[in-house]
Amino acid sequence: LPATLHPDAGRPGRWIAELEADPGAPAPGQAAVCYDGDVVIAGGRIAADPSPVTRSADPPVPAGLLA
């Protein structure tokens, strides 16, 4: 799914993905992989806690997100 990634200012090392479409039923622990075209640029696991969105002063990083 297309998404925009933002660093989570409240929790260093974590990112927030703003999805452009309904992701269906993602579950905590599922893999999230970020691509720039055909190149993998990041990956991680979906977190269980839906904490409020906080943003840093850094500009967003556009990317496609597949889960």
Side-chain angles (χ1 to χ4, degrees):
L1 298 170
T4 301
L5 299 176
H6 302 275
D8 186 339
R11 296 183 299 176
R14 291 195 176 194
W15 292 77
I16 297 168
E18 291 185 22
L19 303 175
E20 295 180 14
D22 182 0
Q30 284 183 320
V33 181
C34 303
Y35 295 87
D36 183 4
D38 291 335
V39 178
V40 174
I41 59 170
R45 298 282 174 199
I46 296 174
D49 54 339
S51 61
V53 174
T54 56
R55 290 189 176 77
S56 71
D58 297 329
V61 178
L65 177 69
L66 298 178

